[in-house]
Amino acid sequence: MAKLDPQEPVFSRLSYWLVIALSLCWLIPLFWVLGLSFKPNEELSYGLGTVFRAPYTLDNYSDLIRSSQLGRWILNSVVVSIIQTVLVLIICSIAGYGFARLEFPGRRALFVFVLIGLAIPRQAIIIPLHAMFVDLDLHNTYTGLILPHLGTPFGVFLMASYFRALPRELEEAAALDNASRWKIFLTIALPLSVPAQITLAIFTFLDAWNDYLWPLISATRPEMYTLTIGLAATQTNFDQSEGIGYLMAQAVFAGLPMLILYLIFQKYVLRAVAGAGGR
Amino acid sequence: MTTLVGVDAARGRRAARAGWWSRWAGLAFVAPFLVLYLWLMIYPLVSGVIMSFQYKDLLSGTSEFVGFWNYEDLSIDPIFIGSIFNTLRFVILTVPAFVVLGLLIALALNRPTRGAAIMRTLFFGPHVLSVTVVTLIWKTVYLPNVGMIDAGSTALGLGPLSILLNPDWALAAVALVTVWWSIGLPMMLFLAALQQVPQDIYEAARLDSASPLRILWTITIPSISKMIVLVAVIEVVLQFQVFGQVNLLTGGGPNNTTRSMVMFIYQAGFQQWQAGYAAAASQILFAIMLVAAGLQFWVSRKPAES
Amino acid sequence: MRLNKTSTALAAAALVAALCAQAAVAQTEIRFARFFGSCEADFATVTDPSRATNECGVITALTNQFNQENPDIKVVTEIVEWQPYYEQLAGRLAAGDVPDVSVMHADVLGEFARRGLLLPLSEDFPEVGIDTSDFVASGRENVEVDGEIYGLPQDFISWLWHTNKALFAEAEMLDAEGNPVMPTSVEELFEQAAAFKERTGKPYLALPVDAGSIARTFYTLVWQQGGDFFPQDTRQIALQTPEAVEALTVLKRLVDEGLATAYTDGSVGNSEFQQGGTGVVTQGTWMIAPFVAAADNAEMALADYGVYPLPQLYADNAQFSAGHTWVMLKSDRRTEEQRQGALQFMKFLYDHNGDWARAGHLPSRQSVLDSAEFQELPHRASIMSIPGNARHHPNTINQQRVMFFTIGEELSAAVLGQKGIEQALADAENRVNAVLRRAR
């Protein structure tokens, strides 16, 4: 990282202060929403400007906890995101290793074939995928929510390039000991690939957690909604909602766990995202 | 003799089997993924192409071959054509912003101070929120008359701006939300690239007392050009598929200026139950994205090669 | 390591399996899909519908009451939002996984029935004691397709003229009976609106122009002129007609001249009305109860509330109407017990039609409409003329929802000055006809 230069040029310092100013723009909406969530709904109907003065209340949060299906939706999101992440890690690590390290007939062609998949936009196959899952009777199930992401080649691509960059010597030594390919993979390559695994895990988890279009058309029973869909359903019509304060409490309640998780693991998250770029 | 031959043969067979195994073991590693890939990506892709030549009803599932009917209809559907232009406009609004702003923030925050670390965390933060939380937040910012922006502009004597209702500004407003939401990814990718630029080049430049702008232009940007292309391609692919923000913030309005291609596909499929029509629109989306990403890759490749 | 990975995979697989199995349904559980919002916070345990005055409260309390009275049946409510309701329903129909009882707007029931998606109920209703001859005429029109009954009409909704009579008094525009003076022509409308604005300093009308709202106002004005949307056949709408141009011009002029304020978010217009910022707001029957409550609330500036049909500006006193109905979507998975349970629940809703009417709607049963109990509800007397003047598109028209919102989007763009009146109507006509042409 660049050293902080005491003689830092004006230009650089200026840009730093500009970015600090910009970061305020990133913060203001968050505080605005937090503030609104503590306001009684009736008062907000006079105008959102009332956020700057008392009274404040916890009613929105207690209403939320007492009544809404938010808990169920969060559970659905957690289940889907975690299972999806675990499965993607397993499948992509194994396949990535296969493509990176093992020789087999047609490997090159197959890898190119898989890479082409990077260019297939998920949203462009959603209609046939929906029809396919109708035939398989998979809508409104966790399986139906998880499966479509397991065929995405990004993870294979990421893991393959990571395995390829690992030094071969360690594996060769083990190969001389007559260890099987599988054993070499499990005992040597896999532990070394933890940084890439973390990267892939974070990307997959975020992707699953934030997925919108697929759950929108697949999870159509309210109890199968993911958090994203459940919250979306409540905001299409501010007219019929239970008040802006209540909606904002929902937003905070739904967003906060992820933000807290992120703050706790920020070091890993940021390193992992940067790691994906290094590939 | 015979036994020896037999032993040899057995050994040979074992060796052959081991050879066979080592030849095909790799395939066993990639097979699970390949099956999923073929089943969940390639098969829908192909069946989508077929579906685009069918009249397919979403509710009854009945289908009938209609040739290019769906495509002909799309070519004269002003809403579909409008959605292509809206999507292109959205990509043009967001992708340069992601590249330029992402790079600027990365440059400013590429330092080992605590403040920079905090701000990196902050800029990446919204990225962990789901699209519906993001739109909930921004709806109250943009809400006509009473939202944060309109309250502010009214206080300043400008009157309500009602940005989301203004056909000239609504798409830009959605683009702003998108940048706020996911600037973190390009920023982090640029930071990663910046840290791999060898420091000694900078030392040399500083000794030549080159201006910071010159250093940026002649050293930094060329050194990370690959990442710039990568970020641009990633963002083009992502932003072409914009849906959630638009669906939740504007619903395609005002005056159809924010309806994106994916939103069109969703509405054709699930509001009008025209699965074949939606599948045909999907093929157009796919084709445009391929061209756009390829073009961009090609354009940015050129100078590097020459 | 190996063990670890394997067991993780196994655990994951087991979890998937366990979670899928959970979808199994308990016996005689009735899945009840509706919009009208969620109000569990206030009504989760309320079993007395008379304690509620809004749609959500009444239906939640009714469901609770039914569950309490019928321990062998469990009605499980699936609350879907109003806007994406039919997209979600389409997804569920495509997947063959449908609720047992669903709410359905009257304007789409015909198409669902013709597509064979609804269970015919003509024979079942008399068996459980639902008397179809008690349905009000236009309610019956809504649920009857080719002589067969496909749903239980629940109510009768209309688009009304909600007024702040205190402001009308200030403008000296109350008649002898204390009701606001109603315009009887377009000229009078503009004169009165201008006079109102001059005397109170406030806009006469809050005009919601979100796609759903503005289409209702527009339909009413076109029908009042005797306009016909489908002069040729049911697959071709005509919107470039003198009547349509006239209707849209009136709305746009009201906004352009500052006599009306256009609201793209209806709730903002409603809250402006409640705070005494405008004389009139055009809104649905479902806003009667909230406005009555607001008028009773001392903190709200709305003090003297009155509600009327939209003024008759042209020859014909037509009023937009629509309705909610309860239907049973066809399903292979429904057991006989569930079917019976669903019918019983519908009978219960039929019996409690009067409770629902308290939310502001007109009841779908003639006997309830005629009852003193209903007529004594606040403001009902002034809108009793509506059933006789109610107009809606015939249920032979397909894709009425898409049509409704498409027209609304274009009208909204015109009123807000984003495109010309002729252009908007031409665009709306083309878009609707493209959809109708593709629909089979």
Side-chain angles (χ1 to χ4, degrees):
Chain A
M1 204 173 261
K3 296 261 157 53
L4 187 64
D5 191 340
Q7 302 271 286
E8 201 182 357
V10 185
F11 171 77
S12 164
R13 208 172 302 165
L14 193 73
S15 72
Y16 189 60
W17 285 106
L18 270 177
V19 168
I20 290 183
L22 193 65
S23 69
L24 286 180
C25 303
W26 254 250
L27 267 179
I28 289 169
L30 294 175
F31 281 111
W32 167 252
V33 164
L34 194 64
L36 289 176
S37 73
F38 290 109
K39 289 294 294 179
N41 288 309
E42 305 79 57
E43 229 192 304
L44 288 176
S45 71
Y46 290 113
L48 305 191
T50 52
V51 69
F52 296 111
R53 55 163 204 251
Y56 296 100
T57 171
L58 283 172
D59 284 358
N60 293 322
Y61 287 94
S62 65
D63 280 357
L64 195 68
I65 289 159
R66 259 193 302 156
S67 70
S68 111
Q69 287 179 283
L70 216 54
R72 171 82 206 197
W73 298 337
I74 289 180
L75 176 75
N76 288 344
S77 274
V78 167
V79 169
V80 168
S81 304
I82 288 181
I83 296 182
Q84 188 174 314
T85 305
V86 170
L87 291 179
V88 162
L89 283 185
I90 295 171
I91 294 165
C92 292
S93 303
I94 299 174
Y97 185 78
F99 278 122
R101 276 291 197 260
L102 303 180
E103 270 305 335
F104 55 91
R107 183 187 69 151
R108 213 162 240 289
L110 276 178
F111 193 58
V112 171
F113 176 61
V114 169
L115 282 190
I116 290 171
L118 285 174
I120 302 175
R122 203 192 295 152
Q123 322 292 45
I125 56 170
I126 213 119
I127 297 282
L129 204 60
H130 182 273
M132 199 170 121
F133 277 44
V134 165
D135 295 339
L136 296 169
D137 209 1
L138 282 175
H139 289 299
N140 285 316
T141 64
Y142 286 122
T143 319
L145 287 172
I146 293 164
L147 263 181
H149 297 259
L150 302 185
T152 324
F154 170 75
V156 174
F157 175 65
L158 185 84
M159 294 313 296
S161 37
Y162 194 87
F163 283 125
R164 209 169 275 148
L166 289 178
R168 269 178 186 276
E169 291 76 26
L170 290 165
E171 292 171 65
E172 274 161 7
L176 287 178
D177 291 347
N178 256 339
S180 75
R181 273 306 190 178
W182 181 245
K183 198 168 170 199
I184 295 173
F185 166 68
L186 280 183
T187 55
I188 298 175
L190 202 59
L192 286 173
S193 72
V194 167
Q197 306 269 1
I198 293 177
T199 300
L200 183 56
I202 286 166
F203 271 100
T204 310
F205 189 86
L206 282 179
D207 192 36
W209 187 267
N210 293 336
D211 199 10
Y212 176 63
L213 182 50
W214 180 251
L216 181 66
I217 61 179
S218 183
T220 46
R221 269 176 180 243
E223 76 260 27
M224 284 306 297
Y225 285 174
T226 60
L227 182 61
T228 321
I229 302 312
L231 280 186
T234 63
Q235 64 177 297
T236 45
N237 231 6
F238 268 39
D239 271 21
Q240 305 197 334
S241 71
E242 294 174 65
I244 287 177
Y246 182 79
L247 284 179
M248 293 306 112
Q250 278 195 326
V252 172
F253 196 84
L256 214 56
M258 281 298 275
L259 280 177
I260 290 172
L261 271 180
Y262 164 64
L263 288 178
I264 295 172
F265 294 110
Q266 50 163 315
K267 230 166 70 186
Y268 299 95
V269 174
L270 295 181
R271 202 185 291 157
V273 174
R279 298 274 77 77
Chain B
M1 193 64 183
T2 44
T3 43
L4 267 178
V5 169
V7 168
D8 266 1
R11 199 176 284 156
R13 268 203 303 279
R14 205 177 305 135
R17 203 157 54 222
W20 180 88
W21 171 241
S22 72
R23 239 173 97 71
W24 292 98
L27 202 59
F29 272 72
V30 301
F33 173 76
L34 278 181
V35 169
L36 289 167
Y37 176 64
L38 283 171
W39 180 38
L40 299 164
M41 294 285 284
I42 302 301
Y43 175 75
L45 187 71
V46 174
S47 70
V49 173
I50 296 170
M51 206 183 274
S52 74
F53 294 106
Q54 289 175 331
Y55 182 91
K56 188 171 167 80
D57 187 278
L58 181 88
L59 296 190
S60 62
T62 51
S63 54
E64 175 194 332
F65 181 76
V66 291
F68 282 92
W69 191 68
N70 289 322
Y71 290 98
E72 280 163 24
D73 242 20
L74 280 177
S75 72
I76 53 163
D77 187 336
I79 295 300
F80 177 66
I81 293 165
S83 78
I84 297 180
F85 283 106
N86 294 337
T87 310
L88 285 173
R89 271 179 62 212
F90 186 78
V91 169
I92 291 168
L93 282 170
T94 49
V95 173
F98 277 122
V99 173
V100 174
L101 197 63
L103 184 56
L104 284 181
I105 297 176
L107 284 168
L109 298 184
N110 186 23
R111 56 181 75 209
T113 61
R114 216 179 140 68
I118 291 174
M119 275 190 287
R120 282 199 293 270
T121 307
L122 175 62
F123 280 114
F124 192 83
H127 199 78
V128 305
L129 299 175
S130 67
V131 63
T132 37
V133 173
V134 171
T135 54
L136 263 180
I137 294 172
W138 282 86
K139 252 192 164 171
T140 61
V141 174
Y142 285 142
L143 208 60
N145 305 314
V146 296
M148 186 165 89
I149 289 181
D150 279 15
S153 70
T154 308
L156 292 173
L158 297 170
L161 300 176
S162 304
I163 294 179
L164 284 184
L165 305 180
N166 184 329
D168 298 327
W169 287 103
L171 195 68
V174 178
L176 179 69
V177 174
T178 310
V179 170
W180 180 85
W181 181 29
S182 44
I183 192 75
L185 182 65
M187 173 193 75
M188 287 313 299
L189 292 176
F190 282 132
L191 274 169
L194 284 176
Q195 296 189 4
Q196 286 171 1
V197 180
Q199 286 302 307
D200 37 351
I201 317 184
Y202 286 115
E203 298 302 327
R206 266 192 212 121
L207 288 179
D208 288 351
S209 62
S211 77
L213 268 180
R214 210 183 136 69
I215 294 179
L216 176 69
W217 198 247
T218 57
I219 300 177
T220 314
I221 288 183
S223 326
I224 59 166
S225 65
K226 248 179 110 178
M227 185 55 81
I228 295 178
V229 176
L230 183 70
V231 167
V233 171
I234 290 176
E235 292 298 341
V236 164
V237 170
L238 284 177
Q239 303 313 328
F240 253 108
Q241 301 183 66
V242 59
F243 173 62
Q245 306 96 294
V246 176
N247 198 33
L248 293 166
L249 280 174
T250 63
N255 195 14
N256 307 313
T257 49
T258 59
R259 183 176 281 101
S260 73
M261 291 182 78
V262 173
M263 186 169 175
F264 180 90
I265 295 168
Y266 171 71
Q267 291 187 326
F270 289 86
Q271 279 183 355
Q272 303 175 22
W273 313 324
Q274 302 272 329
Y277 198 54
S282 306
Q283 306 314 316
I284 311 270
L285 169 68
F286 185 26
I288 293 179
M289 280 178 64
L290 273 185
V291 171
L295 205 67
Q296 192 164 27
F297 203 69
W298 182 72
V299 166
S300 357
R301 262 280 164 100
K302 274 274 147 144
E305 274 171 13
S306 61
Chain C
M1 194 66 203
R2 175 196 288 260
L3 197 74
N4 263 342
K5 274 290 163 190
T6 319
S7 56
T8 320
L10 278 176
L15 193 49
V16 173
L19 292 164
C20 295
Q22 179 195 318
V25 191
Q27 271 189 329
T28 50
E29 183 178 277
I30 309 293
R31 313 295 302 191
F32 172 46
R34 62 164 177 86
F35 34 84
F36 305 122
S38 146
C39 44
E40 296 290 299
D42 298 326
F43 290 96
T45 55
V46 177
T47 54
D48 175 10
S50 67
R51 281 180 51 196
T53 52
N54 61 7
E55 289 175 321
C56 185
V58 173
I59 194 66
T60 307
L62 281 175
T63 312
N64 293 342
Q65 188 189 351
F66 179 81
N67 278 333
Q68 193 185 41
E69 291 174 4
N70 296 274
D72 53 326
I73 303 173
K74 188 177 176 219
V75 174
V76 179
T77 307
E78 297 182 346
I79 300 163
V80 184
E81 287 302 304
W82 183 82
Q83 195 105 39
Y85 181 75
Y86 291 99
E87 284 97 312
Q88 298 258 298
L89 201 62
R92 298 191 60 170
L93 278 162
D97 169 30
V98 296
D100 297 307
V101 178
S102 317
V103 65
M104 182 166 280
H105 286 105
D107 56 2
V108 295
L109 183 138
E111 185 169 14
F112 277 85
R114 279 193 302 282
R115 282 169 158 267
L117 299 166
L118 300 182
L119 217 57
L121 297 165
S122 303
E123 285 166 24
D124 295 317
F125 276 174
E127 272 175 33
V128 290
I130 296 175
D131 178 10
T132 54
S133 64
D134 194 25
F135 296 169
V136 293
S138 71
R140 193 186 166 94
E141 268 169 39
N142 286 332
V143 295
E144 192 171 308
V145 179
D146 299 332
E148 180 74 52
I149 301 239
Y150 285 96
L152 175 68
Q154 176 199 11
D155 59 19
F156 200 88
I157 70 178
S158 190
W159 197 238
L160 303 173
W161 197 251
H162 302 265
T163 61
N164 181 337
K165 290 199 281 189
L167 284 179
F168 275 88
E170 195 184 322
E172 293 162 16
M173 289 169 71
L174 288 180
D175 64 14
E177 288 155 33
N179 291 321
V181 179
M182 293 294 248
T184 58
S185 68
V186 173
E187 293 72 41
E188 276 187 36
L189 172 69
F190 280 93
E191 280 166 28
Q192 293 181 10
F196 181 95
K197 191 172 181 192
E198 200 187 307
R199 293 175 198 160
T200 60
K202 289 172 178 170
Y204 179 66
L205 174 67
L207 182 69
V209 296
D210 57 279
S213 299
I214 193 167
R216 297 187 183 108
T217 319
F218 173 78
Y219 282 171
T220 298
L221 292 183
V222 171
W223 280 322
Q224 286 197 352
Q225 301 170 65
D228 187 355
F229 286 102
F230 293 91
Q232 281 145 12
D233 62 70
T234 55
R235 297 193 157 252
Q236 220 175 335
I237 197 168
L239 288 170
Q240 305 188 70
T241 59
E243 294 88 359
V245 173
E246 162 74 11
L248 185 51
T249 308
V250 167
L251 295 178
K252 182 159 166 49
R253 253 185 74 202
L254 279 171
V255 173
D256 288 350
E257 294 177 14
L259 303 173
T261 316
Y263 291 95
T264 43
D265 186 328
S267 66
V268 181
N270 293 345
S271 96
E272 188 68 16
F273 174 71
Q274 293 179 2
Q275 290 168 46
T278 183
V280 184
V281 64
T282 50
Q283 262 300 345
T285 31
W286 56 91
M287 285 311 292
I288 294 178
F291 286 156
V292 168
D296 292 343
N297 181 342
E299 280 180 38
M300 290 283 182
L302 176 63
D304 196 2
Y305 168 71
V307 60
Y308 310 91
L310 255 56
Q312 180 186 351
L313 300 177
Y314 303 97
D316 201 350
N317 191 13
Q319 299 287 335
F320 166 86
S321 87
H324 300 114
T325 68
W326 303 118
V327 299
M328 286 174 75
L329 291 156
K330 280 186 186 164
S331 166
D332 317 333
R333 304 181 191 180
R334 190 175 298 131
T335 64
E336 179 56 23
E337 287 79 25
Q338 284 173 319
R339 196 184 70 90
Q340 288 298 343
L343 283 168
Q344 277 190 39
F345 184 52
M346 284 173 128
K347 167 73 162 73
F348 176 85
L349 292 171
Y350 170 83
D351 290 341
H352 290 79
N353 195 245
D355 284 315
W356 179 250
R358 260 206 331 282
H361 305 293
L362 292 158
S364 59
R365 291 178 60 185
Q366 196 61 45
S367 54
V368 177
L369 196 62
D370 295 338
S371 70
E373 212 182 339
F374 170 72
Q375 297 191 5
E376 281 161 10
L377 286 169
H379 306 293
R380 291 329 188 267
S382 50
I383 56 171
M384 283 300 283
S385 68
I386 284 190
N389 299 319
R391 288 290 293 275
H392 54 82
H393 292 302
N395 65 12
T396 46
I397 310 286
N398 284 334
Q399 295 284 346
Q400 290 200 33
R401 284 266 119 186
V402 177
M403 187 176 111
F404 181 72
F405 289 109
T406 305
I407 293 176
E409 280 174 14
E410 297 293 340
L411 297 177
S412 177
V415 171
L416 296 171
Q418 294 159 3
K419 60 168 68 164
I421 287 176
E422 276 80 18
Q423 184 67 47
L425 290 170
D427 289 351
E429 184 177 290
N430 289 334
R431 286 177 65 187
V432 171
N433 283 336
V435 172
L436 289 177
R437 181 165 45 84
R438 277 197 299 272
R440 289 194 181 174

